[in-house]
Amino acid sequence: MTNKEKAYKYIQQVFLENQKNEVDEGVDTQQVADYLKIKRPNASAILNKLVKEDLLSKTNTRPVRYHLSDKVTHDVFDDLIGSKGSLADAVKQAKAAVLFPGGILPIQIIAEPGSGTTYFSKLIIKYAKDKKVIPKDAHYYEVNCIVEKENPRLNEILFGNSEHNSILERYKNSVIMINHYERLDATQIYQLNHIIYSSPELNHNLVLFSTLPTNSDRIKTSISISLPEYNKRPVEEKLEAIEYLFKTQAGTSKKSIVVSSEIILALVNHQFKNGYKELEKNITLACAKAYLRAIDDHTSQEIISEDDFSNNFIFSRTLDIDASLESSELLKDRKNFIFSSNQSDRLNTMIKHYDKKLYHNLDKQYQDLAQQGLKSDFIRNSVYHRIEYLFNKYGFPGLNQIRRKQEKDNQTLGKIVPADLVSLTHSFLVKASELLDQNFNQEIFYGLCLHLNSILIIKNKNNATLSPRTIAELKQKYPQQLQLTRQFTHELSEKYQYHFTENEILTILTFLVELHDTKTEKPVILFALHGNGAAHCLSEVVNTLNHNHNTYSYDLSLDKDIDQAYQELKKLIIKINQGAGVIVIYDMGSFKELLNRIIDETTINIRMINVPITLIGLETARRSLADTNIDDIYHNVITNINSYFSDQVNNKPNMLIALCHTGEGGAVQLRDYINEYSKLGWLVKAMSVSDRKALADNIMRLRKFYNIKALIGTYNPNLFGIPFISIVKVFQSPHEDLDKVLSFMPVNTDTTIYNQIYEYYQDSLKFVHVNLLKETMPDVMENLAIQYNLNRDRQLGIFTHIVGILENGLGGQKRQNISVPDKVRDNLASDFNYIAHCLKPVEEKFNFVFNESDIYTIIAIIKQL
């Protein structure tokens, strides 16, 4: 370490000592000379160099005193609400731990829920990175002891498989967070304490612990930071937090927000059980209600009213008269607060992105329901309850879970692509997303990482070039995207000492823009099978595994009149057709005649795939009655099946096609990844997706010699009906599950909670067809569960109650007739409307009408009236 570095480190230590005493005396030249044991003129020369580098400032006094410059002392904590007030001691301790001369000290954060532990931890991490104590791209490893408590591998996660292999020891230059360690047992706490005091390597990492105040003495760290409860923080800090949250909502909704001083006063004085998190939730949901009204009224302002908050708020008085007087003094007789939509503040990127999606979804859901002709009051209530459910499930605490999942996925990608290149690419797409107001999905991220890895790391020179017409179109239509791409490639050029050609820059640009067909009209699939429930079960499985809802079903019972079947099938096909046609998978020839009639009458594009499963079953059953040798039966049936499918070639080798923009870099790496981990033995070919015609011609040629099982890439080119697998699915699945992904097999399956009930109802119901229940009730129950946040027991209670109403009503039994008072009816109006809307599909399928009494009893179960 040079004398200049030693001098600067010494002045930092003095600054930290001064901060403890709330002074900043600085140092003079003689102090530094004595510390370094050098002559005074030499010390003066060193100090003046540090001044020129803007690391120090000096006074005009005699003797001259040197201080850390403002540029150095300004840090991320300066914008923290309460950094000079209730959190001043916490900030000083955090800085002292991070800048400790011997290396970073482990930090313990002690706080009640909702006191800001997560946010304060983020600031500590950012501060450590800004001070270059840990790298900018330091990895983050977290163990949430609430989540992992029941994990049988928890000890292995925390302490490894051998001595000196704990989570605190096996990483270097990283951030390690042990959250809610109060959930650990005494043995685990002892082991952690032993590691803290016995491992010399901890100061290479930023190690954080968090726990509740009642548990604060179990982990022994040099630095223990206590965060004050939100409800006990000074009134002026609460007011600042409330103003910050309203500014945030105004900025992301792009509407000014008007809030009366009475509401601000109530928010300042309200005791929030879950602290800041609960305040944040209430303000967000109140703004969502006001935003929906603004949409309905076509106004540019959101006016927050008292009705936008739950009934536990007190607007006319406060519980603490002293706090009320203090906050009233701060408000200075202001009638209203107006938070402008053009204010920019210290929002972090993830919260900006979350809020932007929140208001985008509000707009979309409102418009979707409005197009269905529903009344505005009903729409507002429906959308609001949906947003409340999503906030509770995926609100700001949930963002950490999303981030950790993405980091885990990126670790898989990191086996192919260097971590620094993954980080740079992620930062580029985040920046592009903000500036262009455009979301880039994981497919784009993975594809771009592989493409850049091919160029910069593997040094694979791409020979494919874009056509002059494409180049001209890209430059003309996407100037902003091109500028961002040039900045990004310049950054990469400096880091990797690589010169990008114009063609390579424009190829990277294509990842930011969509050059493929974006039509929304797509074909749908219909299973049409004989029997009761077979088609429905197949479509349900396909929709579940495909995470989509583009597959439908028609079950043809053997006793149904053929003309009735024709009318039902035609009505269903007209209903599900989205404009691009219907692919029907059917089991026996009788469907072919019906479908041909429908084609002639409706002119809908219908394509038929005959899978004769019923005929195969009949043939196998017939032979089993006539023959006693199981092997003879098996081989005869197999021979007939092969004959039936004689038009299909079964002796071709199987092939997968990996796609990228050039057909080289990214696709080659994807090919190599599959070859390394797949045990299927299929050939994998890398091809370019940029020229659709050339790609189609190549695939046509390959199909003569190979059975092409799937296309894999960043988006589906939709060619020849070949199945598509997203590159994200390949990388997000563990190696051992790769072959399942490639074979379109389920990796994880879930069973519905209603299976046993359906089985019971199959024998017990006389008037209600279980197959129709399966078609209608899952959607009904999903909508009710989301809207009212129902637990499992209440879901089952409501389900059986609705079935009971149907069975009694269809059986001709006397219907209940409950007299609902007008006042109760008015208070529950939105619930009556919503539940009636949910039950419409059931009414149509069973030709049955739920009366007001029926709906009221459902509400009573939901709300436990």
Side-chain angles (χ1 to χ4, degrees), residues 245-246 249 277-293 302 304-305 307-310 354-355 358-359 362 380 383-392 395-396:
L245 289 171
F246 276 119
Q249 296 300 320
K277 290 178 182 177
E278 189 178 344
L279 168 71
E280 180 181 52
K281 173 186 172 181
N282 278 277
I283 288 179
T284 301
L285 296 180
C287 290
K289 277 189 176 180
Y291 184 79
L292 289 168
R293 282 199 305 275
E302 298 176 40
I304 306 296
S305 74
D307 292 336
D308 293 329
F309 296 89
S310 59
Y354 175 85
D355 275 341
L358 171 68
Y359 284 102
L362 279 172
R380 286 201 298 268
V383 176
Y384 171 75
H385 287 303
R386 173 66 175 169
I387 292 299
E388 184 176 27
Y389 166 79
L390 292 174
F391 189 99
N392 289 335
F396 298 118

Side-chain angles (χ1 to χ4, degrees), residues 254-269:
K254 295 184 171 59
K255 288 182 182 291
S256 296
I257 297 178
V258 181
V259 190
S260 70
S261 58
E262 288 83 3
I263 291 177
I264 297 290
L265 187 65
L267 289 168
V268 168
N269 289 289

Side-chain angles (χ1 to χ4, degrees), residues 161-360:
N161 296 316
S162 61
E163 191 176 0
H164 303 302
N165 191 34
S166 74
I167 189 173
L168 304 184
E169 298 170 297
R170 59 179 177 261
Y171 301 111
K172 193 168 183 178
N173 297 323
S174 301
V175 178
I176 299 166
M177 181 82 186
I178 310 294
N179 238 330
H180 293 287
Y181 75 74
E182 69 271 5
R183 297 302 182 96
L184 300 179
D185 59 35
T187 303
Q188 292 165 329
I189 294 292
Y190 172 81
Q191 288 178 278
L192 279 177
N193 280 319
H194 176 72
I195 294 164
I196 291 171
Y197 283 98
S198 63
S199 174
E201 300 297 321
L202 288 187
N203 55 19
H204 292 297
N205 297 316
L206 173 55
V207 180
L208 301 165
F209 299 90
S210 82
T211 192
L212 300 173
T214 54
N215 191 67
S216 58
D217 59 343
R218 297 181 70 199
I219 292 286
K220 309 300 182 183
T221 57
S222 303
I223 300 291
S224 291
I225 299 173
S226 294
L227 300 181
E229 288 183 50
Y230 172 80
N231 291 323
K232 294 180 180 179
R233 291 180 68 174
V235 169
E236 62 269 18
E237 291 180 11
K238 291 182 182 179
L239 181 59
E240 191 177 350
I242 291 164
E243 290 181 330
Y244 168 72
L245 289 171
F246 276 119
K247 286 179 184 178
T248 299
Q249 296 300 320
T252 50
S253 68
K254 295 184 171 59
K255 288 182 182 291
S256 296
I257 297 178
V258 181
V259 190
S260 70
S261 58
E262 288 83 3
I263 291 177
I264 297 290
L265 187 65
L267 289 168
V268 168
N269 289 289
H270 187 77
Q271 295 292 301
F272 291 99
K273 184 178 179 181
N274 294 309
Y276 182 83
K277 290 178 182 177
E278 189 178 344
L279 168 71
E280 180 181 52
K281 173 186 172 181
N282 278 277
I283 288 179
T284 301
L285 296 180
C287 290
K289 277 189 176 180
Y291 184 79
L292 289 168
R293 282 199 305 275
I295 293 176
D296 198 36
D297 298 336
H298 306 289
T299 61
S300 60
Q301 282 188 333
E302 298 176 40
I303 300 176
I304 306 296
S305 74
E306 295 180 4
D307 292 336
D308 293 329
F309 296 89
S310 59
N311 294 330
N312 61 358
F313 276 90
I314 303 171
F315 292 98
S316 58
R317 58 186 177 83
T318 61
L319 300 177
D320 188 332
I321 190 64
D322 292 330
S324 176
L325 292 172
E326 184 180 354
S327 51
S328 298
E329 178 64 25
L330 285 171
L331 297 183
K332 296 178 181 177
D333 298 323
R334 290 176 62 177
K335 184 176 181 181
N336 289 318
F337 285 72
I338 300 177
F339 302 97
S340 175
S341 62
N342 59 9
Q343 296 186 40
S344 61
D345 42 43
R346 52 187 182 276
L347 283 174
N348 81 34
T349 301
M350 189 172 287
I351 292 178
K352 275 183 181 177
H353 180 67
Y354 175 85
D355 275 341
K356 193 178 292 183
K357 288 186 70 174
L358 171 68
Y359 284 102
H360 172 74

